[in-house]
């Protein structure tokens, strides 16, 4: 009986095979990326529905609770904080700002990592030794020292500059990781095939090796992104952040600086944290999905016993 | 040599791999038995489900695979759907495995002794000197020096690793050993040494074996009975002599004809056609797309097994 | 057996010194890049204590000359290398006349003990969680719960720490909130003190471990997935070994190797302490000292701590590299070590 | 004409609280003196006073008061030492303590200090003029000790007349010598003396750490002795043999043990306070204060209600760099002031915990006569923004309002305001002001900086800063006025010579001359008011800086264990638990009745 | 004289060793020489046990690794010092197919990817249609149709298909030489014949030479013209494939041929072979014959120097002292 049932399922699946038969349609990957898209949409479309000027200091009454609480007002549905900023507006502005910093910093770090890691892994020999030594040395230098030194120089960075600064510390990890991956991928058949097809090194790297490193890259990107978002929060605390434009980090910083916790202003500190957790979870889901995509043996993993 | 006691029976085994895009039918109504002291060869092209059958017997089909039907009896006991704990007791004690890739089947970072010992101690209360002596004896049985005991896998050659695997498999005197292409990664000289070891162990201990492989030459040398698989289906089973003399199924014939010889040059026998997608098997005979003798009847319903000679069965509409 | 070959040893030791030299030089260069003046902080503290500081420029010149800050950079660099070799960097610039070392030593044991325990715990737990997530045989309920523990990684540490304090220390009164020990106990090798220190360490420990294990877990998960597909892993299962043995001896034992390198690289940062931990839990430690020193451009203190970090990291990596042939017997046969 | 505030020598000093007058529970005096003060280390909570410290003590083993990295401010200067006299901001009067009187000759070049009799160091050795002379000469001899250059500039010689009389001979007249040095500027940083009998054996006073609790170091004259130090707290125990109580000059303070304690972030401090872990706090945010007040009714702030806070001496300002275009133009600076909505700053940045600012000094009653010198119209122009007037100025300067910003020659008008990153109050002022400017059409931005902030200030690397650098006056305006006087050092160089605080890069010869004149005019000279008025007219016309808010400190007290705290209603001393004025409060507080 | 398309001259490959290396030097290929001429397409077999240096040789010929000493010449040009353009031509003319037909596909791309790569980087076609035509033609040679497979992912193909596609890919470039590293050892018997058949066709119809690397002497016997038998990096016997297999001279080659299982259940193995203990086999003398420890007929002289090649018959040389 059971056999028959599965057979008919199979037949059904077979009919629509071609369009859908791409590894990218992985449930986890799709869920994760949809969440990210939703979060981005919230930031992108938010300004159409909500006045983002309310995200600036002194634009609203102070310390209003969210509208469902006593004393809240529908004009500020998520409440306001002590500097007279509307929470909803801050989230609308802050979420994309943080995501941008996180993504940018992590991808720049990853980019440098890919470049150096592949150079080291690909060329080997002295290049490898030099890159490896430098990477290991840089890992040992406390990032704080560099950050504060930069803080003295770079004034008022916008989110891009901030991402660049964070990227300074985001590359050694990926470099090591990618180096070791390249070392193994270098011997793989499809890389050899690309070599035989006269494909230039850069293209081999980007189009042959990188996709196969995706699970590792994704895991390290996920770590990198949440690391960068948190790092940005720290930088903002150091005074390196763009001060006017709120990000999740600045919201949290201000909340702490104003004792939001002891004042019981949950509507102030909790939303940015929930957002961070959602973003992280989404990227984590994408990582898991990518694992399954790149590793056919994992696909559909969980259905079995 | 072989008694008539069936130590292993596989009845109507169906194994599917549930991929997101349809179930791969990797074993379809497979019926097989192994008698005491017998070596059954399981041959077939790559991807036809040999390993799947082997793993099903061990109840270790890897996810997303699942046994969806049938039973597997070891000494009369059905082990399908036995709880994990019970299975652990049966594994290795009754059912041992010589895995497909001996090269990678030993944990590279722990010593041979530990890998051999843990299989034993997981099932038997042997400790200390007795345990060590037992391991020494096993190594000795497969012709390995005692010093292997303290070595790491990377210090051994491929043939030695394979022999370590054999030694591990026979450690508990199992009822049946499943050897999944035990020599396919080895070159001929070493392959022969390993094959000899296997045969030697088998005659001494009288264990039964399933020998998976696709080298018909090696099968001819080693097994008592051959089972031919194609795309998840068993197509022919019979005593080795009978099969080599009289391959009934066109696929079996193809396999035997394709064996290259070093004695005379002959033109290569090339067949056309492709194996179907295992997710989407055709109605009727599984071999219909590649069979030179295909006729309408083949496309209607799967052929039933017919006995052609003593113990020699074939599933083909021709007969 | 693999073991240590001479060339392997020499190479590692060379690497050790090279890494140190690069790091030490960066430590010299980076603080000087910021262009701000190490004596500013000195003036500031004086201002805080004395209000008005008359003739600040004269005081600054007087200190600068005695610290040698007016010398050309190459000379300062050479003098600095001398400091590095002697392991003594002189007075703290901002806290004259305290020696740079004296700024560091009282805090060091606190930082080291708390952070090394935390680092080891977070590594162990992270590795276990990650491995469980990557292991096929993990019970499904665990599979679905474990990822939740990763989300701690995404919560800013200070927020998390403060939440923990408010709930566990202030609401529930289970544990002391902050500090290294209570004022009622006498530091020393006596039982009440040790007990008190341990109690004070619990909250910081929990918060570090929870927020940092996710990183290990994430990486370990990937490694474990790889091991899952290895033939030896399957064979171990076929042998009927207990799941625990398969998991630890055949799973983690193999998957952990790359993670160990990362761990060794992180050893040095223990000295750097965790500013946030020390800030939030008012825990005595070098992280805050380093932070303050950087803020105040206190070159000698920066150098003392940073170079300690560099040397210990390099030593950690060296030791790991030398031990690696024992952990991974294949190593001297493989072309690329510990990556 | 308004009366000038009392100079210390010229007015009747308020009497120090007499032990006899002090109302105190009988059992407190009946208590026998402790054999060893260290026994008080185990004093129970109700005998202990715990003061919140917002930062960590890093160099806890350096108690040399003259080196930059010392641990003073962690109990020692507050209650471990006595000062010559204390200034009560409440009435602008001095409370004489170790000094009985200070007087000067007519041209203010010779000053004489009279010490009280019976003062002893905590080891029993008498405190005499020798100690003072020794301390000052030691500083003159060592250019690394913090007051060296002050003494070098002003002091010709210091002599002992007798054990209780010290004579200072100055190189040039200084009418404020007593205020500046003897009681110390705003009254927070007085001269500290060291025991000659210990320090004369010290080889190098610049590297001597003065720390060895076992040997009684640091040695002071105060009612408390340093007992135990860690990075997170210092503990002082009462010296029952304190000279003040023995001579009957003052009441022996009741707390047997005083702890200065650092517990971490504000959240933790607040929660500790709610749990009665502190008796007094300093510098917390309004939010935290409100949380404390609602959750523990035993806490009270200076004012029971808003603004809660006690006005602090250092008024908050936005200072402009008068060497940088376009802020070298006084009209532009004025425009910046017109745009500023000070009420909003009070409401948002301070959450109502301070008052409007029109002055560069605190609105203390003793300052009122001087504040009144600023004409009413000018004063009122600071109370409300006047955007129309600001626009007029910009138009007159050739600026045109674009889509977003005012612009000239195609360049948007922009300004970067620097704020110190560890000073949340100033950051929040900056935040609000930046928004006001943005709304008005000036592309303002804010940079939070670490210690570079101060470098920049000294070297002129800024356009505008949110700071407090006009600080100094509490009972008469000269100190603050002096911060604007002098030459403007070129950008990139530190200002040389006094006054060092002219970080404004603003220079006005006429003003500088006026301030110099005020500096040598005796405080009871009627000329003083006129000169001050002239100087203020220039200052308010040029506005090298603009006041942003009155400063405030939130200093709540806990009445669970102790009462008698200074409050707005009982202003016997500024409630400063982080400075030496606390010594006075210590003699006033009493155990709470259970 | 005609210039060989590929000439391997005394190529030695040593792995490891060196200042910053962590492993002991290991001679994977020892003074190997070989010439392949264009005029007469041949299938040259390199046979030998696992680890004997076969893949090393393939990698050398393909320029993936450089020899430690000796030279690899492509039409008289040293492979290691080629210009970009020279390399392009060399790549076009010397192609390869590998053992594992799964590994060579990037799992992320459809099958068409590997064809597009070739078309693009060798400028084989002016436009899409032309490219399509080329690909289709190449697939037809190996008996496949583009419409069936190009849009599939590699994991959707059978092993035989995958391997044939690789052959088609190589063929598309019309190379002069295809290095085939164990092209059939991972496919089963029925598919093996098909691939070997295609190789023969390419040799005969399209004059493509093959460097056929295998450990399976029986297939070598069936299709190859020339053969080199390697043992631990050294060539022990070389010459006409048929002659070597029918009449092996070197004790090692004899042992190899003896060990091929006979596909006849009636003729079971009756002799036992044993190998000497592993440590003896590992003691490789750097001079002398490497087979010495395993050799039943070893003599003292064998350890002294590597034996010269002796011609035992026409087109059949052996490196063994037995024949000197
Ligand atoms: N985890 C899996 N997920 C999906 N399909 C699988 C999985 N494992 C095996 N299969 C499919 O099941 C079929 C049978 O595979 P199996 O490994 O049993 O073949 P085999 O006969 O052992 O092949 P080989 O000779 O290559 O070892 C194949 O078509 C394979 O693609
Ligand atoms: N990159 C490398 N570094 C170090 N040693 C290597 C490397 N590649 C190969 N070797 C060693 O060189 C020897 C020859 O390897 P090669 O791959 O050429 O053998 P092969 O004849 O192709 O074997 P197989 O039949 O197993 O493919 C082997 O012992 C191998 O371990
Ligand atoms: Mg298989
Ligand atoms: Mg090979």
């Amino acid at each position: 009986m059971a056999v028959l049932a599965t057979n008919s399922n199979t037949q059904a699946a077979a009919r629509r095979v071609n369009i859908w038969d791409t590894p990218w349609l992985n449930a986890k990957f799709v869920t994760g990326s949809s969440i990210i898209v939703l979060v981005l949409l919230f930031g992108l479309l938010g300004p159409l529905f909500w006045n983002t000027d309310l995200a600036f200091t002194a634009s609203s009454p102070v310390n209003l609770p969210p509208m469902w609480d006593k004393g809240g007002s529908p004009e500020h549905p998520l409440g306001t904080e002590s500097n007279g900023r509307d929470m909803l507006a801050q989230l609308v502005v802050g979420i994309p700002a943080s995501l941008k910093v996180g993504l940018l910093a992590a991808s720049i770090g990853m980019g440098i990592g890919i470049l150096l890691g592949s150079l080291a892994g690909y060329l080997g020999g002295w290049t490898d030794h030099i890159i490896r030594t430098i990477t290991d040395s840089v890992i040992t230098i406390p990032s704080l020292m560099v950050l504060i030194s930069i803080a003295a120089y770079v004034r008022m960075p916008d989110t891009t500059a901030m991402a660049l600064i964070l990227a300074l510390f985001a590359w050694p990890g990926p470099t090591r990781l990618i180096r070791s991956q390249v070392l193994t991928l270098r011997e793989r058949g499809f890389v050899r095939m690309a070599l035989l097809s006269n494909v230039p090194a850069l293209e081999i790297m980007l189009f042959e090796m990188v996709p196969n490193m995706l699970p590792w890259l994704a895991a390290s990107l996920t770590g990198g992104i949440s690391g960068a978002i948190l790092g940005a929060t720290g930088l903002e605390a150091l005074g390196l952040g763009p001060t006017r434009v709120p990000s999740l980090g600045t919201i949290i910083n201000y909340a702490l600086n104003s004792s939001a916790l002891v004042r019981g202003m949950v509507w102030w500190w909790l939303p940015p944290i929930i957002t961070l957790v959602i973003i992280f979870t989404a990227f984590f889901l994408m990582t898991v999905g990518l694992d399954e995509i790149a590793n056919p043996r994992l696909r559909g993993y969980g259905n079995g016993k | 040599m072989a008694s008539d006691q069936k130590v292993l029976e596989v009845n109507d085994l169906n194994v599917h791999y549930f991929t997101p895009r349809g179930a791969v039918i990797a074993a379809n109504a497979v019926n097989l038995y192994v008698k005491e002291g017998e070596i059954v060869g399981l041959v077939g092209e790559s991807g036809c489900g040999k390993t799947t059958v082997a793993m099903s017997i061990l109840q270790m089909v890897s996810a997303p695979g699942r046994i969806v039907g049938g039973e597997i009896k070891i000494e009369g006991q059905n082990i399908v759907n036995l709880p994990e704990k019970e299975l652990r007791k049966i594994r290795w004690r009754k059912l041992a495995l010589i895995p497909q890739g001996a090269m990678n089947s030993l944990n590279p970072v722990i010593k041979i002794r530990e890998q051999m010992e843990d299989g034993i101690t997981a099932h038997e209360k042997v400790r200390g000197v007795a345990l060590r002596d037992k391991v020494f004896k096993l190594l000795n049985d497969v012709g390995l020096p005692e010093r292997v005991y303290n070595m790491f896998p990377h210090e051994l050659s491929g043939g030695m690793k394979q022999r370590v695997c054999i030694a591990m498999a026979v450690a508990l005197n199992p009822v049946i050993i499943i050897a999944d292409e035990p020599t396919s990664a080895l070159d001929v000289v070493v392959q022969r040494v390993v094959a000899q070891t296997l045969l030697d162990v088998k005659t001494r201990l009288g264990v039964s074996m399933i020998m998976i492989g696709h080298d018909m030459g090696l099968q001819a040398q080693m097994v008592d009975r051959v089972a031919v698989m194609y795309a998840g289906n068993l197509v022919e089973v019979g005593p080795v002599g009978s099969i080599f003399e009289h391959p009934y199924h066109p696929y079996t014939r193809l396999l035997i004809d394709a064996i290259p010889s070093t004695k005379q040059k002959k033109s290569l026998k090339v067949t056309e056609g492709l194996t179907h997608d295992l997710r989407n098997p055709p109605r009727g005979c599984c071999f219909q797309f590649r069979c030179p003798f295909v006729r309408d009847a083949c496309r209607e319903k799967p052929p039933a097994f017919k006995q052609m000679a003593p113990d020699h069965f074939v599933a083909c509409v021709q007969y | 057996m693999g073991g240590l070959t001479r060339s392997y040893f020499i190479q590692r030791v060379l690497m050790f010194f090279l890494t140190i030299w690069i790091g030490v030089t960066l430590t010299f260069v980076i603080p000087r890049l910021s262009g701000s003046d190490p004596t500013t902080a000195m003036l500031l503290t004086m201002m805080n204590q004395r209000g008005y500081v008359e003739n600040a420029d004269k005081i600054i010149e007087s200190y600068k000359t005695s610290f040698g800050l007016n010398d050309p950079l190459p000379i300062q660099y050479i003098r600095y290398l001398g400091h590095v070799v002697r392991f003594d960097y002189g007075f703290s610039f901002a806290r004259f006349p305290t020696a740079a070392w004296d700024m560091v030593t009282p805090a060091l044991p606190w930082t080291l003990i708390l952070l090394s325990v935390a680092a080891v715990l977070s590594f162990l737990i992270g590795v276990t969680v990650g491995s469980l997530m990557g292991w096929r045989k993990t019970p499904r309920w665990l599979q679905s719960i474990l990822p939740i523990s990763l989300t701690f990684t995404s919560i800013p540490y200070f927020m998390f720490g403060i939440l923990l304090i408010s709930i566990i220390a202030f609401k529930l009164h289970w544990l002391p909130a902050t500090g290294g020990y209570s004022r009622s106990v006498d530091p020393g090798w006596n039982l009440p003190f040790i007990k008190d220190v341990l109690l004070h360490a619990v909250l910081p420990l929990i918060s570090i471990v929870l927020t940092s294990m996710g990183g290990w877990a994430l990486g370990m998960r990937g490694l474990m997935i790889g091991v899952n597909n290895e033939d030896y892993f399957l064979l171990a299962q076929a042998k009927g070994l207990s799941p625990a043995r398969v998991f630890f001896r055949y799973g983690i034992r193999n998957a952990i190797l790359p993670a160990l390198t990362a761990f060794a690289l992180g050893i040095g940062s223990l000295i750097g302490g965790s500013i946030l931990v020390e800030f939030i839990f008012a825990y005595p430690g070098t992280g805050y000292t380093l932070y303050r020193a950087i803020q105040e451009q206190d070159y000698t203190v920066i150098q003392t701590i940073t170079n300690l970090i560099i040397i210990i990291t390099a030593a950690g990596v060296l030791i790991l590299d030398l031990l690696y042939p024992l952990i991974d017997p294949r190593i001297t046969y493989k072309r690329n070590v510990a990556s | 004409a308004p009366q000038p505030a009392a100079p210390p020598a010229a007015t009747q000093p308020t009497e120090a609280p007499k032990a006899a007058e002090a109302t105190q529970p009988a059992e407190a005096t009946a208590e026998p003196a402790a054999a060893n003060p260290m026994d008080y280390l185990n004093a129970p909570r109700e005998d202990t006073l715990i003061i919140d410290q917002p930062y960590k003590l890093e160099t806890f083993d350096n108690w040399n008061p003259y080196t930059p990295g010392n641990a003073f401010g962690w109990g020692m200067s507050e209650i471990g030492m006595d000062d010559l006299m204390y200034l009560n901001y409440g009435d602008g009067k001095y409370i004489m303590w170790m000094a009985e009187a200070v007087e000067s000759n007519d041209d203010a070049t010779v000053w004489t200090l009279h010490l009280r009799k019976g003062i002893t160091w905590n080891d029993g050795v008498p405190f005499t003029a020798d100690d003072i002379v020794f301390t000052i000469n030691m500083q003159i001899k060592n250019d690394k000790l913090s007051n060296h250059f002050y003494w070098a500039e002003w002091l010709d010689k210091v002599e002992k007349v007798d054990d209780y009389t010290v004579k200072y001979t100055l190189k040039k007249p200084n009418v404020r010598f007593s205020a500046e040095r003897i009681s110390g500027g705003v009254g927070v940083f007085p001269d500290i003396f060291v025991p000659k009998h210990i320090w004369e054996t010290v080889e190098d006073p610049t590297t001597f750490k003065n720390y060895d609790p076992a040997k009684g170091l640091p040695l002071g004259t105060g009612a408390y002795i340093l007992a135990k130090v860690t990075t997170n707290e210092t503990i002082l125990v009462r010296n029952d043999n304190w000279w003040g109580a023995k001579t009957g000059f003052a009441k022996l303070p009741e707390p047997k043990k005083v702890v200065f304690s650092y517990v971490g972030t504000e959240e933790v401090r607040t929660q500790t306070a709610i749990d009665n872990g502190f008796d007094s706090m300093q510098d917390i945010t309004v939010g935290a204060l409100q949380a404390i007040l609602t959750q523990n009714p035993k806490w009270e702030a200076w004012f029971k209600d808003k603004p809660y806070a006690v006005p602090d001496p250092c008024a908050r300002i936005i200072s402009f760099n008068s060497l940088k275009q376009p802020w070298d133009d006084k009209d532009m600076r004025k425009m910046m002031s017109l745009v500023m909505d000070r009420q909003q700053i009070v409401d948002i940045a301070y959450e109502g915990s301070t008052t409007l600012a029109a002055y560069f000094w605190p609105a203390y009653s003793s300052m009122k006569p001087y504040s009144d010198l600023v004409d009413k119209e000018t004063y009122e122009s600071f109370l409300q923004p006047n955007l129309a007037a600001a626009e007029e100025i910009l138009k007159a300067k050739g600026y045109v309002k674009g889509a977003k910003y005012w612009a000239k020659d195609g360049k948007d008008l922009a300004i970067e305001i620097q704020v110190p990153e560890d000073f949340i109050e100033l950051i929040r002022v900056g935040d609000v002001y930046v928004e006001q400017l943005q709304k008005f059409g000036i592309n303002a931005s804010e940079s939070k900086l670490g210690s570079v902030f101060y470098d920049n200030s000294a070297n002129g690397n800024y356009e505008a800063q949110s700071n407090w650098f006009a600080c100094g006056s509490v009972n008469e305006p000269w100190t603050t006025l002096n911060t604007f006087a002098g030459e403007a050092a070129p950008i990139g160089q530190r200002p040389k010579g006094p006054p060092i605080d002219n970080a404004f890069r603003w220079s006005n010869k006429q003003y500088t001359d006026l301030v110099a004149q005020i500096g040598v005019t005796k405080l009871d000279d009627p000329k003083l008011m006129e000169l001050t008025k002239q100087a203020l007219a220039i200052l308010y016309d040029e506005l090298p800086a603009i006041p942003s808010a009155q400063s405030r400190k939130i200093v709540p007290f806990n009445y669970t264990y102790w009462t008698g705290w200074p409050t707005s209603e009982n202003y016997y001393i500024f409630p400063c638990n982080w400075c030496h004025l606390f010594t006075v409060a210590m003699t006033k507080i009493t155990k709470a009745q259970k | 004289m005609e210039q060989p398309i590929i000439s391997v001259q005394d190529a030695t490959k040593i792995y490891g060793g060196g200042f910053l290396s962590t492993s002991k030097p290991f001679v994977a290929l020892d003074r190997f020489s070989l010439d392949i001429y264009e005029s007469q397409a041949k299938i040259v077999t390199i046979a030998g046990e696992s680890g004997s240096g076969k893949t090393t040789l393939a990698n050398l010929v393909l320029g993936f690794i450089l020899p430690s000493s000796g030279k690899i010449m492509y039409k008289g040009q040293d492979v290691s010092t080629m210009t970009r353009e020279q390399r392009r031509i060399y790549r076009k003319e010397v192609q390869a197919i590998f053992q594992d037909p799964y590994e060579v596909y990037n799992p992320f791309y459809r099958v068409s990817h590997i064809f597009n790569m070739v078309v693009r980087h060798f400028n084989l076609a002016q436009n899409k249609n032309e490219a399509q035509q080329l690909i289709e033609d190449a697939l037809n040679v190996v008996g496949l149709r583009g419409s069936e497979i190009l849009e599939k992912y590699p994991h959707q193909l059978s092993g035989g298909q995958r391997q044939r596609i690789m052959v088609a890919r190589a063929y598309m470039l019309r190379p002069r030489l295809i290095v085939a590293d164990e092209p059939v050892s991972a496919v089963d018997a029925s598919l093996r014949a098909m691939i070997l058949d295609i190789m023969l066709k390419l040799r005969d119809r399209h004059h493509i030479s093959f460097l056929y690397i295998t450990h399976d002497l029986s297939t070598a016997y069936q299709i190859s013209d020339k053969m080199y038998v390697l043992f631990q990096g050294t060539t022990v016997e070389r010459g006409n494939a048929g002659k070597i297999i029918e009449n092996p001279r070197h004790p090692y080659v004899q042992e190899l041929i003896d060990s091929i299982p006979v596909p006849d259940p009636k003729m079971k193995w009756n002799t036992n072979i044993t190998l000497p203990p592993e440590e003896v086999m590992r003691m490789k003398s750097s001079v002398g014959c490497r087979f010495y420890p395993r050799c039943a007929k070893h003599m003292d002289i064998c350890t002294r120097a590597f034996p010269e090649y002796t011609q035992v018959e026409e087109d059949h040389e052996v490196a063994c002292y037995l024949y000197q």
Side-chain angles (χ1 to χ4, degrees), chain A residues 21-24 126 129 188-190 192-200 203 207-208 211-212 214 294 299, chain E residues 20 59 64 88 91 95-96 98 103-104 106-109 113 117-118 120-122 153 155-156 166 169:
Chain A
D21 200 4
T22 151
W24 295 101
W126 282 106
H129 279 291
R188 291 277 293 272
F190 56 85
R192 295 254 146 120
M193 270 304 148
L195 275 175
L196 284 176
S197 305
N198 205 27
V199 179
E203 201 180 317
F207 297 107
E208 303 294 327
N212 282 283
L214 276 180
R299 275 175 216 164
Chain E
L20 278 174
N59 287 341
F64 291 152
R88 199 178 70 89
R91 282 267 176 263
Q95 275 296 322
F98 295 124
E103 264 277 304
V104 292
N106 197 332
F108 275 84
Y109 298 109
H113 174 75
M117 250 181 353
V118 172
R120 198 148 35 91
H121 292 285
F122 289 107
Y153 281 94
H155 68 264
Q156 297 167 324
M166 286 330 286
R169 177 202 158 279

Side-chain angles (χ1 to χ4, degrees), chain A residues 56-58 62-63 82-83 151-152 155-156 236-239 243-244 254 256-263, chain D residues 266-267 271 285 287-288 290-291 295 344 348 351 416 418 421 424 428 431-432 435 438 446-448 452 456:
Chain A
F56 296 126
T57 304
V62 295
N63 300 342
S82 298
N83 296 288
R155 289 282 168 71
M156 262 298 299
E236 275 147 7
L238 281 178
T243 42
R244 260 194 96 210
Y254 270 101
L256 284 177
N257 283 341
S258 311
S259 308
L261 214 68
V262 277
R263 290 162 94 171
Chain D
E266 183 175 65
E267 306 278 347
Q271 311 225 38
T285 57
Q290 285 169 338
Q295 291 175 56
Q344 195 179 46
I348 304 247
E351 298 184 50
E416 183 215 37
Q418 299 182 352
E421 53 112 342
I424 290 156
R428 289 183 69 172
D431 285 347
V432 177
E435 290 308 321
Q438 284 278 350
E446 195 178 323
S447 290
K448 297 181 206 163
V452 186
N456 287 347

Side-chain angles (χ1 to χ4, degrees), chain E residues 38-72:
Chain E
E38 197 171 352
S39 57
Q40 251 192 314
K42 286 219 168 90
I43 296 181
V44 179
T45 297
I46 311 291
E49 63 169 350
S50 163
S52 59
K54 305 185 295 291
T55 301
T56 304
L57 174 65
N59 287 341
L60 282 171
V61 169
L62 291 169
F64 291 152
I65 55 177
L66 295 177
S68 311
S69 70
K71 272 194 196 129
I72 316 292

Side-chain angles (χ1 to χ4, degrees), chain C residues 215-238:
Chain C
W216 296 120
L218 218 52
M220 199 60 193
R221 180 183 161 274
L223 294 166
M224 191 70 177
I225 285 176
V227 172
N228 260 313
N229 295 328
E230 296 286 348
D231 291 333
Y232 58 79
F233 197 77
L234 289 176
L235 183 62
Q237 280 168 274

Side-chain angles (χ1 to χ4, degrees), chain C residues 5 9 24 31 54 56 100 102 121 131 162 165 175 182 214 226 236 261 281 286 301 305 323 328 332 339:
Chain C
T5 60
F9 183 81
V24 152
E54 301 268 340
D102 292 344
L121 272 183
S131 308
I162 287 173
I165 293 177
L175 288 166
S182 334
T261 315
F281 292 96
T286 41
V301 176
I305 299 179
L323 288 181
D328 184 350
T332 39
S339 35

